[in-house]
Amino acid sequence: MASVLYQSIETLSRDKGIEPAVVVGAVEDAIALATRKYYKTQENMRAEMDRETGEIRAYVFKTVVETPEQVEDDINQMTLEQARELAPEVEVGGELRFYKDTTPLGRIAAQMAKQVIFQKVREAERDTVFNEYNHRAGEVLNATVKRLEPMDVIFDLGKAEARMPKREQSRLEQFAVGERVRVVLLRVDRAAKGPQVIVSRAAPALVQNLFQSEVPEIYDGTVTIRAIAREAGERTKIAVMSRDKDVDPVGACVGMKGMRVQSIIRELRGEKIDIIEFSEEITTFAEKALQPAKVSRVSITDLADKQIEVIVDDTQLSLAIGKKGQNVRLAAKLLQWKIDIKSEEEKRQEVESQMQAMSGGPTTPIEQVSELGEAILEKLIAAGITTVEALADMTPEQLEEVPGIGEKTVEKISVAVRHYFGQYEEGEDRPAPALSAASETEATESEEGSMEKTPEAILAEEAGVGTAQEVNNLSSEDIANAEEAESATDAFSDNDAREEQIELDNDTVDTLVDEAQENSDEGIDDGNDRG
């Protein structure tokens, strides 16, 4: 029958969760140390406990060597000859024991033995905790709230205490002492005061474990969880896939009237959960991951770097990004890809800038072409033609498709663009150099005088004849040519109003031509009479 001392050791071992042999070894080491201190010796000392009687004996042991030359420590070694005088059967490498009397050990020795026993037990307890939990990282455990600290929450796991730091807590959760909750074991840290078990309520593994508990299809493997992205206390995105084509993975996780997912949401204190069907096609998976936003198109921009570009409608951009970028951030975690999200307008501007860069050089506003009138400019800008370069690249057929642009206007535009780039045909007048203030005044007065001239005088100047009376001597063809030249010249002047005057008074011009033709016929008849 075991002694009372050994029974006490077994009770202590069960309470601390360690092996009885560890406690027995601690007691033996403590007695050996106390005995050596009492006898003030440097000899090797050991102790052994008899489980039946509970007696603990301490002894000094010496190692046997063959010759005196091999003796390195006179205190702890002896030759074979000396050993056989005490024990004839001893061999080289054996040990001889010399027992010490432990009866005179006093209170100080007992106190020292007690401290050694406690130290050994604590070390054994730490090793037991470390070995118990070190290999269980990622496992979900049931824990009881033991106490609340300013930043951390301390849980009782049964065999050890666990600490949950502030960063591993959900902002939605508040705990009470004695409350039972499920936690995820993150790691076991070795510290000076012993191993510390770190647990979490913010890890994605907690959500995965809750779905396994609530959804039978996940528990039996019909539906698998392929990816989870979580921001504790805010939102979780979970991607699921079914191995059975007849089982809807999303519907299985949601449950009848949402009962299954609502149970998980209550456990997480109201955290939002998005359940998404997994797809091997990354573009399809990205569209689903960005829900509830509607995606226009997805393209892979860098396969090696795992980067995709997502285009959404302008009205969907803020929804796709989410509050403080949460939606797109969780989607990127779920996909394990980098996501560059843009609106349709941003993409259009990007394409335009790329095309402009490919064409080379900066663009010039169409308003810089001074020979184009305001009416023509308005029509071109309304059609989306806003740069000189874009206007120069258009064909006459393309220009005629612009509303309000005809053949004559196309010719005017072509000449105006040529002149803007400094291209003048033979006989075309180049713009005059800038005038001084006095010259501008004279030019203004000249223009005002010209506005007072009659159509006959204008035609006379254009035809190169002296006065309006001499117009009568011109043929109808000369008069028409003069009118056309005047009209073509004035088409490109914004300040000269003569074109409008001539075009609005077409009846007067026609009358003038008729009168000139009659005068010409009369002159011919008079010549015949004189002949």
Side-chain angles (χ1 to χ4, degrees):
M1 180 177 178
S3 64
V4 176
L5 175 61
Y6 189 76
Q7 291 176 357
S8 301
I9 290 175
E10 287 184 332
T11 302
L12 177 65
S13 300
R14 285 194 298 270
D15 293 341
K16 298 296 183 180
I18 56 180
E19 293 293 329
V22 175
V23 181
V24 171
V27 172
E28 292 175 345
D29 292 344
I31 296 300
L33 179 61
T35 304
R36 187 166 61 180
K37 289 289 184 180
Y38 176 79
Y39 286 102
K40 298 179 181 179
T41 180
Q42 298 298 322
E43 295 176 306
N44 291 331
M45 188 77 68
R46 289 178 184 165
E48 60 181 7
M49 187 183 74
D50 189 340
R51 297 185 180 182
E52 299 296 332
T53 63
E55 181 184 1
I56 302 176
R57 296 183 296 175
Y59 61 87
V60 175
F61 66 92
K62 293 186 178 182
T63 305
V64 179
V65 296
E66 187 173 0
T67 62
E69 291 77 9
Q70 295 177 345
V71 176
E72 298 178 355
D73 186 356
D74 294 336
I75 298 178
N76 297 312
Q77 290 179 337
M78 62 189 308
T79 62
L80 179 62
E81 182 180 355
Q82 295 173 338
R84 284 187 173 177
E85 291 179 358
L86 302 174
E89 298 179 355
V90 71
E91 298 292 339
V92 175
E95 294 179 351
L96 288 182
R97 297 182 178 182
F98 302 91
Y99 286 91
K100 297 288 185 180
D101 185 12
T102 59
T103 303
L105 297 180
R107 181 180 58 82
I108 297 177
Q111 184 69 23
M112 183 183 300
K114 178 181 177 181
Q115 292 177 354
V116 173
I117 291 173
F118 283 166
Q119 181 179 357
K120 294 290 186 180
V121 170
R122 281 197 300 268
E123 291 177 356
E125 187 177 5
R126 292 172 183 176
D127 292 339
T128 301
V129 171
F130 184 82
N131 295 331
E132 173 71 21
Y133 295 103
N134 186 45
H135 64 284
R136 299 171 66 180
E139 185 176 337
V140 178
L141 306 175
N142 291 320
T144 304
V145 179
K146 187 172 184 179
R147 66 180 182 272
L148 301 176
E149 296 184 353
M151 298 296 292
D152 301 342
V153 180
I154 307 302
F155 292 94
D156 184 7
L157 300 179
K159 295 182 178 180
E161 287 186 355
R163 181 172 61 91
M164 185 167 68
K166 182 69 174 178
R167 63 178 178 274
E168 299 299 337
Q169 302 175 24
S170 170
R171 68 174 186 83
L172 299 178
E173 295 181 331
Q174 297 292 332
F175 301 99
V177 175
E179 182 181 359
R180 291 186 60 83
V181 295
R182 280 183 276 194
V183 296
V184 179
L185 195 154
L186 292 184
R187 64 186 183 277
V188 181
D189 294 337
R190 282 192 176 274
K193 295 182 179 181
Q196 288 188 344
V197 181
I198 309 300
V199 295
S200 171
R201 287 275 297 176
L206 178 62
V207 180
Q208 182 172 353
N209 180 266
L210 293 174
F211 270 96
Q212 289 175 349
S213 302
E214 295 293 335
V215 182
E217 289 83 357
I218 294 179
Y219 182 79
D220 62 20
T222 304
V223 176
T224 57
I225 299 175
R226 297 299 302 269
I228 298 179
R230 185 186 183 201
E231 290 188 0
E234 298 289 345
R235 183 180 292 272
T236 295
K237 286 183 181 287
I238 178 171
V240 293
M241 184 180 70
S242 176
R243 295 181 178 179
D244 188 346
K245 63 180 181 179
D246 296 329
V247 176
D248 177 17
V250 177
C253 294
V254 173
M256 184 69 69
K257 296 183 180 180
M259 292 180 61
R260 293 176 177 176
V261 72
Q262 287 299 326
S263 175
I264 298 173
I265 291 174
R266 283 193 298 270
E267 172 71 21
L268 299 176
R269 308 296 199 274
E271 183 175 316
K272 298 179 178 64
I273 298 178
D274 295 337
I275 305 174
I276 301 162
E277 185 176 359
F278 178 81
S279 175
E280 296 289 351
E281 179 62 38
I282 189 63
T283 54
T284 304
F285 192 20
E287 291 181 7
K288 296 179 179 179
L290 285 169
Q291 292 177 354
K294 296 181 180 179
V295 177
S296 299
R297 57 187 180 277
V298 180
S299 59
I300 299 175
T301 56
D302 191 341
L303 186 60
D305 198 28
K306 289 189 174 182
Q307 186 167 354
I308 60 175
E309 182 182 68
V310 177
I311 308 300
V312 299
D313 190 75
D314 295 348
T315 59
Q316 295 288 312
L317 182 61
S318 60
L319 186 61
I321 295 175
K323 184 180 180 180
K324 297 181 181 179
Q326 183 186 80
N327 192 56
V328 68
R329 186 167 58 250
L330 285 175
K333 289 182 182 179
L334 197 68
L335 272 63
Q336 296 296 315
W337 281 60
K338 299 176 183 177
I339 299 177
D340 184 13
I341 188 166
K342 300 176 183 177
S343 65
E344 294 281 5
E345 178 63 21
E346 291 174 345
K347 184 61 176 178
R348 185 186 66 80
Q349 293 177 358
E350 180 183 337
V351 172
E352 286 182 356
S353 62
Q354 290 176 353
M355 293 181 66
Q356 291 172 3
M358 291 174 63
S359 62
T363 59
T364 307
I366 196 172
E367 290 84 358
Q368 295 294 327
V369 183
S370 58
E371 295 185 5
L372 292 176
E374 292 184 1
I376 297 177
L377 285 174
E378 291 177 359
K379 295 175 182 178
L380 293 175
I381 293 174
I385 307 168
T386 58
T387 63
V388 178
E389 290 77 10
L391 181 61
D393 291 339
M394 297 184 69
T395 62
E397 291 77 10
Q398 292 174 334
L399 284 172
E400 289 181 1
E401 294 178 359
V402 177
I405 302 296
E407 291 185 12
K408 291 185 178 181
T409 308
V410 170
E411 294 178 1
K412 294 178 183 180
I413 293 173
S414 177
V415 173
V417 172
R418 277 197 300 103
H419 289 179
Y420 174 80
F421 289 106
Q423 299 174 359
Y424 291 86
E425 295 181 355
E426 186 176 355
E428 289 183 339
D429 295 334
R430 294 178 177 271
L435 299 175
S436 62
S439 300
E440 290 180 358
T441 302
E442 293 176 2
T444 303
E445 293 175 356
S446 176
E447 288 179 2
E448 291 176 353
S450 65
M451 290 299 293
E452 297 175 356
K453 295 179 181 179
T454 62
E456 294 86 344
I458 294 172
L459 288 175
E461 290 179 0
E462 292 298 324
V465 297
T467 63
Q469 292 294 332
E470 294 177 358
V471 175
N472 293 333
N473 297 327
L474 296 177
S475 65
S476 60
E477 183 177 357
D478 293 336
I479 293 174
N481 291 336
E483 177 189 357
E484 183 177 357
E486 176 66 9
S487 184
T489 302
D490 293 343
F492 305 103
S493 175
D494 293 334
N495 299 323
D496 196 348
R498 289 180 294 177
E499 177 187 3
E500 295 182 3
Q501 184 66 29
I502 292 173
E503 290 179 353
L504 295 175
D505 204 5
N506 286 331
D507 294 337
T508 304
V509 175
D510 293 339
T511 304
L512 179 61
V513 172
D514 293 338
E515 291 177 357
Q517 184 65 42
E518 291 176 1
N519 292 335
S520 178
D521 294 338
E522 290 176 1
I524 294 172
D525 293 337
D526 293 341
N528 291 334
D529 294 339
R530 287 194 297 268

